[in-house]
Structures are given as C-alpha cells and as structure tokens.
Amino acid sequence: MTHAIGLTPAQIGKIAERIDRPVVLVGLMGVGKSTVGRRLAAMLQTDFVDVDDEIERAADRTVSEIFDAHGEAYFRDGERRVIARLMDEAHGVIATGGGAFVDPETRALIVERAIAVWLDCDIDTLVERTARRDNRPLLQQGNPREILTELKDKRGAAYAEAQIHVVTDNGPHAQTAQRILEAIDTWL
C-alpha cells in the first residue's frame, strides 16, 4: 500500500490512534468526498462508507428516484437517520451527500459526534467533475455552473461550521488525504 509522501506509516498510525470518532467528509457534490474518503480510510486502516450508497441500499432506490418521488425534505430526514446509524456503528470514514451538512439537525449531530472535514474546491473543478456522471438530481434543473456557484454561495456558511477545512485540487487523492490527516493531527 502506498502512502502519501510526507507522512510515514508510523506517523499515520499515531494520528489514527488519536482519532476517537468517525471522520465525516462534507462539501459540495463533485468535491471528492467518496474518492478521497476511500483513500483516507485505507491510510488509516479503517473502513469507509458512503451515505448515499447506504441510503440507496436501504431504500432499494436511487437518490434521484427518492428525490423525484418524495422531495428533498423527505430525503434529508432519511439521510439524517442513516448518518446517525453509521456513526453509532463506529465507521472510520463517512462521506455524506453534498446537502447533508446544510441541514441544521444533521450538522449539529455530525459536529457533536464526529470530526467534520469540509472538502472544498473551485467551481471549474466541480463543473468538470460533476459532468462525468448524470446522477446529480440538483444539477438536472439547469446550468450546472450556475447551480454549483449558487450552492457554494448558499452552503458555504454551513460548511464553515466543520471543525476542519481542506481545499482540494486536481492533484492526487493521496495528497488530499494527507492534508486531511495533517489538519486532523493539528486539530486534535
């Protein structure tokens, strides 16, 4: 297994020993929560779970289908219950959907019981990454750049309540995971 340049496996192990609750990744769609989360979990030698995957498995429907059939409020309520369950199950790294942390109850739950890490990046990168898949319900309602810009403006204050803020770029995921570990180490 390859580790990010800069932190040795021993240093990563020492950071991992100090982490006493789940690391929950928050941020806009396309910022890399799932991809970076898998890498981070591997570095910490813990498990990774994606909230949207868990919701889809539990509901036996896609996130888009749930949004279409019941609306965002219904979805957010179920999402909060799934996040609480995943934290109760003591998963190591949890990636949330882009809007999860915007919900005040969900945000309070995560900040109280986890280490919230806000992954952030520029709009150009988000547009390019989200264009790769067509399963983003909120982007199917207009111009993706305008929607992502509006979401970033609207959600920024909520995301800023995360204990840790890491800016990502188009560099290797291992580099972003290392920056997260360094930030957690400093925060702890």
Side-chain angles (χ1 to χ4, degrees), residues 6-142:
L7 287 176
T8 66
Q11 289 170 314
I12 293 169
K14 285 188 168 127
I15 295 168
E17 287 172 9
R18 294 171 55 216
I19 296 173
D20 63 352
R21 57 195 121 160
V23 175
V24 178
L25 304 180
V26 303
L28 285 174
M29 65 184 94
V31 80
K33 297 179 300 288
S34 296
T35 310
V36 170
R38 283 184 193 89
R39 178 56 63 102
L40 180 64
M43 291 171 74
L44 290 170
Q45 298 183 353
T46 189
D47 71 323
F48 168 80
V49 64
D50 182 289
V51 171
D52 284 350
D53 291 347
E54 288 295 310
I55 290 168
E56 289 181 350
R57 188 175 6 267
D60 199 30
R61 292 194 288 181
T62 67
V63 168
S64 294
E65 289 169 342
I66 297 167
F67 257 78
D68 291 346
H70 302 286
E72 186 171 2
Y74 175 91
F75 175 80
R76 296 292 173 216
D77 187 49
E79 180 180 55
R80 182 180 325 104
R81 288 193 306 273
V82 169
I83 290 170
R85 175 178 58 82
L86 294 173
M87 288 193 303
D88 286 345
E89 292 171 357
H91 292 281
V93 178
I94 301 169
T96 63
F101 203 67
V102 178
D103 179 89
E105 288 179 61
T106 303
R107 185 169 59 253
L109 177 75
I110 293 170
V111 168
E112 179 185 319
R113 297 180 43 203
I115 300 171
V117 178
W118 171 22
L119 293 182
D120 190 12
C121 72
D122 64 81
I123 294 295
D124 288 338
T125 303
L126 290 175
V127 170
E128 188 258 314
R129 287 180 182 168
T130 57
R132 297 177 195 161
R133 297 190 356 227
D134 66 352
N135 64 341
R136 316 270 187 180
L138 294 177
L139 294 186
Q140 294 169 359
Q141 301 164 9

Side-chain angles (χ1 to χ4, degrees), residues 155-177:
R155 294 176 175 179
Y159 291 147
E161 291 185 35
Q163 293 101 320
I164 295 170
H165 181 198
V166 174
V167 177
T168 69
D169 53 27
N170 273 329
H173 300 305
Q175 208 170 42
T176 301

